[in-house]
Amino acid sequence: MNVQKSLFVGVATAALMGSHAVPAYATGKDATSGGGTQQAVPSQTSQDNEQSTAAQDQAAIPDEIVVTGIRASLESAQARKRTANTIVDSIVADDIGKLPDTNTTEALQRISGIQVSRDRGEGGSVAIRGLTQVLTTLDGREIFTAGGGRGYNLQDFPAELLAGVDVYKTPTADLIEGGIGGVIDLRTRKPLDMDGLVISGSLRGRYQDLVDKVSPLASLLVSDKWDTGVGEMGLLVSGSYQERAFRSDIEAVGAPSERTDLIAGRTIVTPNGDYEPLVDGTRRRIGLGATFQWKPTPELELYAQAGYQEFRSIQQQRGLNNPTNGLSVVPGSVETFDGTDDFMRGTFQNLVSSTFGVTRDTYDKNQQYSAGFDWDKGAARLTGDFTYQHSTNDLYYTEQDLQITVPEATLDLSGKTPTMSFDGVDLTDLSNYRLGYTTRSENHYTGNSYAGRLDGDFEIDSPFLSGFKTGVRIQKMDTAFTPIRFFQPAGATSAANYSSLFETMPFDDFFFSNPTFPHGYYTAVTSNLRNDFDSVRDALGVDAEPAVDPASVYDMSETTVAGYAEMLFKVDSGLRFDGNVGVRVIKTGLSIDGNQRSTVGGVTTITPQTYDNDYVSVLPSANVRFHLTDELQLRLAASQTLTRPNFSQLSPAFTLVPAQGQGSGGNPELEPLRADQLDASLEYYFSPTGSVYLAGFYRKVKGFIFTSSNRQTIDGIDYVISQPTNGDDGTIKGVEVGGQTFFDFLPAPFDGFGVQANYTFIDSSTPSAIADYTTPLPGLSKSSFNISGLYEKYGLSVRVAYNYRSKYLSALYGLPLAGGGSQNIPIYRRGYGWLDASINYDITPSITVTLEGSNLLRTREFTYFDQETRPNNISVDDRQIMAGIRFKL
């Protein structure tokens, strides 16, 4: 971080530390925890008698103060963190649709230790303390999105349907295994926790400035409960609908290589041209949920729950691909950055440019159905749950290209945005173009899961032991992959003969109408590619049809049987402490069916392959919390965790080319990643909404998976096989510091101000595909911080949130050397910040108007090859503004 950012964090931390002199005496009720459906989330048989000073503070208040809004959310989240029996952070929505972000991933980025990637301007994947191997649960039940992996696509779940999110950074024995990074539990609301009949919802419009469109967002929740002759019943139904139009402008500079023919006597590191896609499209997110609860007696609850999430991304890409490798240059045109041998500017001759039109559409559909019971006698509790899930993921990618020869093309890397300009060609004349290649790829994934569990929780009356927990869980998961492929090579035919397939590029404002970029060129009509690909094939005179690629098909089935035992302990005298120690034992059985492709003498054969793998894992864990004072507590934790390889990595599919001695594929022999973990957290709670904390962590991960090449002999032929493999151990270590408070000691109206802030530092060392070479974890920033300025008073709620992450390693690239061979160099993504804000005003106690903004700085993301004078990728996304209303009846 630079000096300004360091000062920024320092001032915020100083404000937090200095603000606890006068405690705030507001109390609130957390009505978000619910029911008997959260069996996977750790529960405490005995809690602290929260805390003696808090009780004295409460006694001093003549009347209870009802807390709502941001304060209620912070108070509930802080209470969950403070009383949990492990290290956990939470986000809580005090009311329907009031998480601070519409995207679940973006809400998670506010938590210390979490870093998110960006996907077309919104939150994408999540890493906890540098590890992307994260398990996601919904009300304590493991959920997943089909697609070759094991995780759940958090983009699928609308944030409006959530009561909150808990992030478990250390495990307990009763937590489902599978996430060495941690567990993210999405919590929904339950009808018996609501106040009778509740009807609430929201209606908003979202404006995206680059694409210049407005999209709708709406949510609705209806919940009620009744006292009947057979007990108390409750029913809750909820739904959310979100649309988002988007646009991304991307300038990708080609990978570098060394050239000795550009400037006499010098070796110049020169990029291979550039790639200029303009991406636009729409996304639709649908979420539906229903929960029924029935308590025939005060001790027994029966429930049923159903959920459905659908995520659809419809996307077009249009632009130019301009490869320059091997092209001669105009003599004297090449310049380098000062003091380097890195190419800065130059003019290439006789460039063959490709214009492209692409459709890339993805569809996720997830269904969950659960039923169970919760029998609670106080000293003994028995819970059971059964869940069925079905998920599908479908990708449709279609591309059609044109080719055109450009006499002179100038690549200029000196400006804020690299550019490529053309001379000597008329891009507006279709007769100057030739047909390029046409391709279509479809990936179809399906997944099913059946899971049942039974858990017992028993109190123990002794000076040390306070409880015992035990349980068993059985899950059967299956997944299948079917790829469909089509490829038509480029031809020499003039594109003028196929005018119905092409149109002039519909956008003329690429990178804010930068005049240097080529304009007016032709691209494929994307509606034809998406809606009527058969007519495209007919127009081209191609009889071949898209067909299943049998070598890449696979079908896998996995059965896990897990059991755990956990002891809870508590000591109230002297140095007060409590905690748990336990062990989880899991037997995993995996069956894989796939195929292997081999080409000999021009003849391709497909051979079925079957693999089976069984193994047992023993995962101990221990968590202890010391109550140093009523406000100060220290947590220590030690545990072992695992994450199983992704299904796509386990695929037995191989493509073998004997003539070249080359092969590639998956690896069904992969072993799980396993981690030894140590954690500590010092937490100081000075008011219901005020706290500061300092946490440290260490992870030793065994068996990191990366792609490697090795020699194998198959049917008497020697091959160099590229496939994923387990590597050596890696380590991750770091610290987190943060806190939150409202400045209640200030005079009105300034007592409505508050702040949240956190900072994370992570250092890592992991094996790579290069022998005896270690790198940081890909996608991991060493430093990241969040700071939110808050104001809440007189019905007005304001939040301004800034998130920053430092540079991180994206990948390794093999730089071809002029003298032969290659040198591996890193690709880094430069650090960047993201600014969001929201304003809410309560017109009445039941109606709130909202105004929200995302990506207000319109952040540019920038990657580079080892040095910033070797740019790789520059992209810019929409600024988003939302306005609307929320209501609660």
Side-chain angles (χ1 to χ4, degrees):
M1 285 192 304
N2 59 29
V3 174
Q4 291 89 338
K5 293 187 176 73
S6 299
L7 288 173
F8 193 32
V9 177
V11 170
T13 304
L16 284 167
M17 294 297 294
S19 65
H20 71 274
V22 180
Y25 295 117
T27 64
K29 179 182 179 182
D30 177 12
T32 60
S33 60
T37 61
Q38 299 187 33
Q39 285 85 21
V41 178
S43 61
Q44 275 186 284
T45 304
S46 57
Q47 300 276 339
D48 288 334
N49 297 322
E50 286 295 334
Q51 307 282 8
S52 60
T53 55
Q56 294 169 3
D57 290 343
Q58 179 63 28
I61 307 172
D63 297 301
E64 181 183 11
I65 300 173
V66 178
V67 179
T68 61
I70 296 176
R71 283 181 182 266
S73 297
L74 297 187
E75 184 173 327
S76 296
Q78 179 170 295
R80 296 185 71 86
K81 178 181 178 69
R82 183 177 189 177
T83 60
N85 62 352
T86 185
I87 298 176
V88 62
D89 284 294
S90 297
I91 306 171
V92 172
D94 74 297
D95 212 339
I96 309 303
K98 292 180 72 173
L99 278 180
D101 303 271
T102 59
N103 180 302
T104 303
T105 305
E106 292 173 346
L108 285 167
Q109 74 179 337
R110 314 297 175 199
I111 292 178
S112 63
I114 287 188
Q115 295 175 356
V116 306
S117 64
R118 296 286 168 183
D119 178 27
R120 304 294 175 237
E122 64 182 40
S125 61
V126 170
I128 301 177
R129 292 175 167 176
L131 293 166
T132 58
Q133 295 81 7
V134 174
L135 179 74
T136 303
T137 58
L138 176 62
D139 292 321
R141 308 179 190 94
E142 181 181 2
I143 57 175
F144 68 96
T145 300
R150 293 180 174 274
Y152 181 79
N153 182 3
L154 288 166
Q155 290 181 313
D156 292 358
F157 208 100
E160 290 98 330
L161 301 188
L162 293 174
V165 184
D166 294 326
V167 178
Y168 292 89
K169 297 178 178 178
T170 60
T172 53
D174 56 344
L175 268 178
I176 300 173
E177 76 287 344
I180 61 173
V183 176
I184 296 174
D185 185 51
L186 311 179
R187 293 184 291 106
T188 61
R189 287 179 165 78
K190 308 298 184 294
L192 294 186
D193 296 327
M194 309 290 282
D195 296 327
L197 177 63
V198 175
I199 302 174
S200 62
S202 63
L203 182 63
R204 291 175 289 176
R206 172 162 45 193
Y207 174 71
Q208 299 87 191
D209 65 344
L210 283 182
V211 75
D212 194 26
K213 290 183 178 179
V214 176
S215 306
L217 303 90
S219 65
L220 181 66
L221 179 145
V222 180
S223 178
D224 203 359
K225 58 184 180 181
W226 311 270
D227 286 319
T228 71
V230 292
E232 188 179 26
M233 295 184 181
L235 177 65
L236 182 151
V237 293
S238 59
S240 172
Y241 179 89
Q242 296 181 8
E243 280 190 11
R244 175 177 172 250
F246 65 89
R247 172 176 157 182
S248 297
D249 290 5
I250 303 168
E251 164 63 2
V253 179
S257 62
E258 290 187 345
R259 294 186 60 169
T260 59
D261 59 334
L262 302 185
I263 300 177
R266 295 176 63 184
T267 299
I268 307 301
V269 178
T270 309
N272 179 23
D274 79 331
Y275 178 69
E276 305 172 11
L278 186 154
V279 182
D280 74 295
T282 59
R283 289 183 169 180
R284 184 181 73 184
R285 186 177 288 110
I286 296 174
L288 300 171
T291 300
F292 173 75
Q293 291 176 288
W294 174 32
K295 297 190 72 171
T297 69
E299 296 84 13
L300 178 63
E301 177 191 321
L302 306 174
Y303 61 85
Q305 194 168 3
Y308 174 81
Q309 305 91 43
E310 178 182 317
F311 177 69
R312 181 184 73 175
S313 179
I314 306 300
Q315 178 176 302
Q316 300 79 231
Q317 297 175 201
R318 305 174 182 90
L320 293 153
N321 186 19
N322 306 310
T324 59
N325 269 4
L327 297 183
S328 60
V329 298
V330 173
S333 66
V334 175
E335 303 173 57
T336 59
F337 285 99
D338 290 343
T340 75
D341 287 321
D342 294 340
F343 178 101
M344 182 180 72
R345 183 186 300 110
T347 301
F348 296 88
Q349 298 175 315
N350 298 317
L351 165 72
V352 178
S353 175
S354 295
T355 75
F356 54 85
V358 173
T359 59
R360 188 183 188 280
D361 304 333
T362 58
Y363 303 86
D364 289 348
K365 295 181 180 179
N366 307 307
Q367 304 172 54
Q368 304 94 22
Y369 305 95
S370 304
F373 71 91
D374 183 345
W375 183 71
D376 190 348
K377 291 289 290 182
R381 181 183 179 191
L382 187 65
T383 60
D385 185 87
F386 175 79
T387 301
Y388 167 70
Q389 295 184 71
H390 178 68
S391 177
T392 61
N393 170 273
D394 300 287
L395 166 68
Y396 300 86
Y397 181 97
T398 311
E399 179 174 349
Q400 187 171 32
D401 290 4
L402 291 171
Q403 292 183 347
I404 187 170
T405 300
V406 181
E408 292 189 353
T410 300
L411 180 62
D412 188 345
L413 311 183
S414 63
K416 184 177 181 180
T417 303
T419 61
M420 175 76 85
S421 58
F422 291 171
D423 288 311
V425 65
D426 183 2
L427 297 176
T428 65
D429 186 351
L430 188 58
S431 64
N432 288 332
Y433 294 83
R434 306 175 299 278
L435 288 180
Y437 68 79
T438 302
T439 185
R440 183 177 178 88
S441 296
E442 300 178 22
N443 292 340
H444 301 288
Y445 295 90
T446 61
N448 295 281
S449 172
Y450 305 83
R453 61 180 298 152
L454 185 66
D455 298 86
D457 189 346
F458 309 95
E459 287 187 8
I460 298 176
D461 186 10
S462 84
F464 179 70
L465 295 179
S466 60
F468 174 70
K469 301 173 71 173
T470 186
V472 63
R473 178 178 183 267
I474 302 175
Q475 180 182 37
K476 183 179 184 202
M477 178 183 292
D478 61 72
T479 184
F481 172 55
T482 304
I484 296 175
R485 303 289 184 257
F486 171 89
F487 180 77
Q488 177 67 19
T493 310
S494 172
N497 300 327
Y498 306 92
S499 58
S500 63
L501 301 180
F502 305 99
E503 64 178 354
T504 303
M505 169 67 170
F507 295 92
D508 60 1
D509 58 346
F510 184 65
F511 267 100
F512 311 105
S513 302
N514 189 320
T516 308
F517 286 107
H519 295 87
Y521 54 86
Y522 277 85
T523 69
V525 178
T526 55
S527 59
N528 292 338
L529 302 180
R530 172 177 292 116
N531 302 321
D532 198 4
F533 186 65
D534 287 341
S535 69
V536 174
R537 291 191 304 107
D538 291 342
L540 295 174
V542 177
D543 294 328
E545 298 182 5
V548 173
D549 177 10
S552 299
V553 171
Y554 65 74
D555 194 336
M556 303 187 193
S557 177
E558 181 181 86
T559 301
T560 58
V561 180
Y564 72 90
E566 182 176 287
M567 296 299 302
L568 286 77
F569 52 86
K570 181 177 181 179
V571 173
D572 279 329
S573 60
L575 177 61
R576 294 180 298 133
F577 64 91
D578 57 20
N580 56 79
V581 59
V583 63
R584 188 175 187 89
V585 181
I586 313 102
K587 180 180 180 181
T588 303
L590 180 65
S591 177
I592 306 173
D593 293 317
N595 297 297
Q596 185 180 96
R597 175 193 286 120
S598 179
T599 303
V600 178
V603 178
T604 299
T605 58
I606 305 297
T607 305
Q609 302 288 318
T610 300
Y611 294 86
D612 294 297
N613 190 13
D614 297 306
Y615 53 91
V616 175
S617 304
V618 180
L619 306 177
S621 62
N623 295 268
V624 61
R625 172 177 54 168
F626 296 95
H627 300 279
L628 305 178
T629 70
D630 288 336
E631 297 84 15
L632 182 65
Q633 61 187 34
L634 172 66
R635 296 181 185 271
L636 301 175
S639 59
Q640 292 183 336
T641 59
L642 69 80
T643 291
R644 302 175 183 91
N646 287 336
F647 292 115
S648 59
Q649 295 172 324
L650 292 166
S651 169
F654 268 87
T655 297
L656 301 175
V657 186
Q660 300 177 11
Q662 300 289 327
S664 62
N667 182 3
E669 304 294 337
L670 285 174
E671 294 295 326
L673 286 76
R674 301 179 185 273
D676 298 330
Q677 304 185 163
L678 295 173
D679 294 85
S681 179
L682 184 64
E683 302 159 6
Y684 179 55
Y685 299 93
F686 52 84
S687 78
T689 57
S691 62
V692 291
Y693 60 87
L694 173 66
F697 53 89
Y698 174 83
R699 305 282 185 267
K700 183 176 182 179
V701 181
K702 306 170 185 177
F704 267 114
I705 296 174
F706 61 91
T707 300
S708 68
S709 297
N710 59 82
R711 292 189 175 275
Q712 297 184 27
T713 300
I714 302 175
D715 295 332
I717 301 175
D718 291 332
Y719 292 92
V720 176
I721 302 292
S722 297
Q723 63 182 147
T725 187
N726 293 106
D728 295 329
D729 298 348
T731 59
I732 303 100
K733 53 190 174 182
V735 294
E736 301 169 1
V737 60
Q740 63 183 36
T741 191
F742 276 90
F743 301 117
D744 299 293
F745 58 91
L746 296 176
F750 304 105
D751 55 345
F753 282 104
V755 64
Q756 281 183 298
N758 61 67
Y759 170 77
T760 304
F761 175 83
I762 306 177
D763 190 21
S764 65
S765 176
T766 62
S768 71
I770 310 168
D772 302 320
Y773 188 73
T774 60
T775 67
L777 270 173
L780 170 63
S781 296
K782 274 195 171 184
S783 295
S784 61
F785 71 81
N786 299 273
I787 185 164
S788 297
L790 314 171
Y791 185 80
E792 186 167 67
K793 203 169 181 67
Y794 311 122
L796 177 67
S797 295
V798 180
R799 182 193 299 262
V800 180
Y802 182 74
N803 171 268
Y804 176 82
R805 58 181 305 185
S806 63
K807 80 171 185 179
Y808 60 87
L809 176 70
S810 291
L812 288 176
Y813 169 73
L815 171 65
L817 301 178
S822 65
Q823 171 191 350
N824 285 282
I825 61 173
I827 300 175
Y828 290 109
R829 185 175 295 272
R830 188 165 60 191
Y832 64 89
W834 203 268
L835 181 66
D836 301 327
S838 64
I839 302 173
N840 303 301
Y841 182 71
D842 297 330
I843 298 177
T844 73
S846 301
I847 299 177
T848 301
V849 293
T850 67
L851 178 65
E852 301 162 80
S854 179
N855 191 21
L856 295 177
L857 300 178
R858 194 188 275 139
T859 297
R860 291 193 180 204
E861 296 190 57
F862 174 75
T863 62
Y864 56 93
F865 296 91
D866 192 32
Q867 303 172 34
E868 293 200 13
T869 51
R870 303 175 185 176
N872 169 229
N873 191 90
I874 299 92
S875 63
V876 61
D877 296 295
D878 291 281
R879 180 184 291 123
Q880 304 171 49
I881 305 295
M882 289 180 287
I885 62 169
R886 286 196 306 266
F887 63 89
K888 182 176 181 180
L889 306 179

